Amino acid sequence: MHKSSLDYLIIGPAHPYRGGISETQHQLAIASQKNGKQVELLTFTKLYPNLLFPGKTQYSNETISNKLKIIKLLHAYNPFYWKKVIKYICSRSPKVVVFRYYTPFLAIAYGWIARGLPKKIKKIALVDNWIPHEEKLFDQSLNQYFGKEMDAFTSLSPFVAKQIKTYCKKPVWSGFHPINENLLPILDQKKIRKKLNWDKSTSYVLFFGLIRKYKGLELLIQAFDQEPLKEQKVKLYVAGECYEDPKKYIKLVELLGLNDRVYLDFNFKNNIDIQHLFSATDIVAQTYHKATQSGVTSIAYHYNRPLLVSDIQELKNPIISDNTGEAVKKEPKAIALGILRLLDKKVKTNYSENMKKVINKYSWTKYAEQWDKFVNENT
């Protein structure tokens, strides 16, 4: 048995699993530790079956802070291992167990484990997505199964909090998406463009992140075939692993004759890649069909790159509120005109200056303080 005064045991993806969920698990743990809390991360021995995982690998080869204690124990889809998880949690006697919930795929494991814990251990959900971007038949039932075991809910956006509130009467905290503190510093644009072999006299638009159907990449590519953007020295760099058939985008670029203006780099990017690409680009585009909160937005803020986003409430609200970019209709012509407005030197400079003014309000320290206050008031 372990002897501990553990404040938070946070369950979900963590190193060696890669991606934004894992990164933000680390950031929340570190920020909570800075606020004087005892924190431990519990992650998976197995997360997704290989047949269900659309990417090349689930794992990261990057190093992380040695201040984090990470236990690999939870098998996401084999219930014969779940009693072992409950036994371990009880041995640590945490005041609160936090379940990082971003897909109904985890509902059964999380709900079963939460139900098996003593009532003195409070159960808090940290929810990225309540209604999935790509919905399936049993999502609502799985959400209900998971949700009834929670004492309260927290999120990273008002939109997700609103979705949860329509489902239950339990306490819900809205939150915001903080900027990760492990991002590398911005580099000199001219020097990094030379290293990447990018043309110094051309403007660049960056589309970054996992490529999925709901993210509307096809709209952005089609925009580069629209007048007057078609005749300008502007190029699009697409960077991110493709979680659908990449041929549809390759064929679209070829069909529109954009091979010399649209570069498709379908590889997962580490922190050094992120530093290079965001430092080299002029603006960041998110022409999503739907969204909740976005980690790409926070990366753009860190690298002081104005944003072009779809005119959907969940994505545009912080951009409009902070005056840090343009929100446009989800159609190629509007996107093309929005890109040209954003690339105007005076407009781009104004948005960049506004980013510098508001960036501090998105710190993980502030998030952890507010999150901790809500959890303590509702447990």
Side-chain angles (χ1 to χ4, degrees), residues 283-288 306-331 333-342 347 351:
I283 64 173
V284 176
Q286 296 176 275
T287 52
Y288 296 5
L307 288 138
L308 178 109
V309 301
S310 298
D311 188 20
I312 50 178
Q313 183 178 356
E314 309 80 47
L315 202 55
K316 74 176 182 178
N317 280 1
I319 309 306
I320 300 302
S321 175
D322 296 336
N323 197 21
T324 52
E326 299 275 334
V328 298
K329 291 181 179 179
K330 294 181 288 182
E331 57 95 7
K333 186 68 173 181
I335 293 168
L337 294 174
I339 288 171
L340 290 176
R341 284 196 303 273
L342 198 50
V347 172
Y351 287 144

Side-chain angles (χ1 to χ4, degrees), residues 27 31 176-181 358-370:
Q27 293 291 303
F176 57 90
H177 197 299
I179 299 170
N180 286 351
E181 296 178 2
V358 301
I359 193 170
N360 287 336
K361 74 178 183 180
Y362 296 107
S363 75
W364 267 107
T365 299
K366 289 186 177 180
Y367 181 93
E369 288 174 350
Q370 294 174 27

Side-chain angles (χ1 to χ4, degrees), residues 264-290:
L264 302 175
D265 177 4
F266 292 140
N267 294 293
F268 190 86
K269 301 302 178 186
N270 61 28
N271 266 359
I272 294 176
D273 298 324
I274 290 170
Q275 179 191 39
H276 290 178
L277 292 170
F278 278 82
S279 296
T281 197
D282 291 290
I283 64 173
V284 176
Q286 296 176 275
T287 52
Y288 296 5
H289 293 292
K290 56 174 69 174

Side-chain angles (χ1 to χ4, degrees), residues 179 183 208 274 278 294-305:
I179 299 170
L183 291 168
F208 181 85
I274 290 170
F278 278 82
S294 172
V296 176
T297 300
S298 65
I299 298 173
Y301 269 53
H302 174 81
Y303 288 103
N304 195 231
R305 294 298 181 252

Side-chain angles (χ1 to χ4, degrees), residues 113-371:
I113 290 167
R115 182 180 297 178
L117 295 175
K119 289 186 177 180
K120 67 177 182 178
I121 298 177
K122 299 304 178 182
K123 280 84 72 176
I124 300 293
L126 175 53
V127 183
D128 294 82
N129 302 306
W130 187 248
I131 299 174
H133 299 303
E134 296 158 354
E135 296 181 54
K136 296 180 177 63
L137 182 62
F138 297 106
D139 289 343
Q140 186 174 350
S141 297
L142 290 168
N143 284 347
Q144 289 175 347
Y145 175 80
F146 166 73
K148 69 182 180 181
E149 302 300 333
M150 296 296 107
D151 295 306
F153 295 84
T154 60
S155 73
L156 296 102
S157 80
F159 180 73
V160 173
K162 184 178 179 181
Q163 289 180 333
I164 299 169
K165 287 175 182 177
T166 63
Y167 150 77
C168 74
K169 302 295 184 182
K170 295 178 181 179
V172 182
W173 180 65
S174 297
F176 57 90
H177 197 299
I179 299 170
N180 286 351
E181 296 178 2
N182 66 329
L183 291 168
L184 300 172
I186 190 169
L187 300 173
D188 180 82
Q189 189 178 71
K190 290 182 180 178
K191 290 181 180 178
I192 194 58
R193 281 195 176 186
K194 185 176 181 180
K195 184 174 182 178
L196 295 174
N197 199 28
W198 287 17
D199 183 8
K200 64 180 180 181
S201 62
T202 298
S203 295
Y204 283 86
V205 179
L206 177 65
F207 184 96
F208 181 85
L210 299 176
I211 312 300
R212 300 177 71 174
K213 187 176 180 179
Y214 75 87
K215 291 190 177 181
L217 174 56
E218 78 285 353
L219 299 176
L220 183 56
I221 293 173
Q222 290 164 0
F224 277 75
D225 191 45
Q226 298 288 317
E227 298 287 358
L229 179 60
K230 188 175 182 179
E231 306 302 325
Q232 305 300 312
K233 290 191 70 176
V234 184
K235 292 185 178 182
L236 170 63
Y237 195 101
V238 177
E241 192 169 348
C242 206
Y243 274 21
E244 53 179 327
D245 188 354
K247 291 180 182 177
K248 80 174 195 180
Y249 299 113
I250 295 170
K251 288 179 179 179
L252 179 59
V253 170
E254 292 176 349
L255 178 67
L256 298 176
L258 296 172
N259 295 76
D260 60 339
R261 300 185 62 220
V262 176
Y263 188 83
L264 302 175
D265 177 4
F266 292 140
N267 294 293
F268 190 86
K269 301 302 178 186
N270 61 28
N271 266 359
I272 294 176
D273 298 324
I274 290 170
Q275 179 191 39
H276 290 178
L277 292 170
F278 278 82
S279 296
T281 197
D282 291 290
I283 64 173
V284 176
Q286 296 176 275
T287 52
Y288 296 5
H289 293 292
K290 56 174 69 174
T292 47
Q293 67 282 320
S294 172
V296 176
T297 300
S298 65
I299 298 173
Y301 269 53
H302 174 81
Y303 288 103
N304 195 231
R305 294 298 181 252
L307 288 138
L308 178 109
V309 301
S310 298
D311 188 20
I312 50 178
Q313 183 178 356
E314 309 80 47
L315 202 55
K316 74 176 182 178
N317 280 1
I319 309 306
I320 300 302
S321 175
D322 296 336
N323 197 21
T324 52
E326 299 275 334
V328 298
K329 291 181 179 179
K330 294 181 288 182
E331 57 95 7
K333 186 68 173 181
I335 293 168
L337 294 174
I339 288 171
L340 290 176
R341 284 196 303 273
L342 198 50
L343 287 173
D344 177 87
K345 187 175 180 180
K346 186 176 180 180
V347 172
K348 188 172 67 169
T349 299
N350 181 55
Y351 287 144
S352 294
E353 290 301 315
N354 290 338
M355 277 187 171
K356 293 175 184 177
K357 294 175 184 177
V358 301
I359 193 170
N360 287 336
K361 74 178 183 180
Y362 296 107
S363 75
W364 267 107
T365 299
K366 289 186 177 180
Y367 181 93
E369 288 174 350
Q370 294 174 27
W371 179 82

Side-chain angles (χ1 to χ4, degrees), residues 14-160:
H15 189 80
Y17 290 93
R18 71 178 196 184
I21 304 292
S22 178
E23 289 284 348
T24 49
Q25 289 283 86
H26 304 158
Q27 293 291 303
L28 175 59
I30 291 170
S32 297
Q33 287 174 337
K34 288 180 180 177
N35 290 338
K37 302 298 180 180
Q38 295 296 317
V39 183
E40 185 173 303
L41 296 170
L42 191 153
T43 194
F44 302 91
T45 54
K46 290 285 185 180
L47 181 46
Y48 301 112
N50 291 334
L51 288 175
L52 296 182
F53 184 70
K56 297 174 183 177
T57 178
Q58 299 181 47
Y59 304 104
S60 169
N61 57 9
E62 296 196 68
T63 58
I64 62 165
S65 171
N66 57 13
K67 295 179 181 179
L68 293 174
K69 183 175 182 180
I70 301 175
I71 304 298
K72 290 178 65 177
L73 194 62
L74 175 56
H75 195 301
Y77 51 93
N78 189 334
F80 291 104
Y81 291 86
W82 297 346
K83 282 187 178 180
K84 187 177 179 180
V85 175
I86 293 174
K87 184 178 179 181
Y88 179 79
I89 294 173
C90 291
S91 77
R92 300 297 284 133
S93 300
K95 297 173 184 175
V96 177
V97 174
V98 181
F99 293 85
R100 187 66 179 271
Y101 190 71
Y102 59 98
T103 170
F105 173 75
L106 296 172
I108 295 176
Y110 280 1
W112 196 92
I113 290 167
R115 182 180 297 178
L117 295 175
K119 289 186 177 180
K120 67 177 182 178
I121 298 177
K122 299 304 178 182
K123 280 84 72 176
I124 300 293
L126 175 53
V127 183
D128 294 82
N129 302 306
W130 187 248
I131 299 174
H133 299 303
E134 296 158 354
E135 296 181 54
K136 296 180 177 63
L137 182 62
F138 297 106
D139 289 343
Q140 186 174 350
S141 297
L142 290 168
N143 284 347
Q144 289 175 347
Y145 175 80
F146 166 73
K148 69 182 180 181
E149 302 300 333
M150 296 296 107
D151 295 306
F153 295 84
T154 60
S155 73
L156 296 102
S157 80
F159 180 73
V160 173

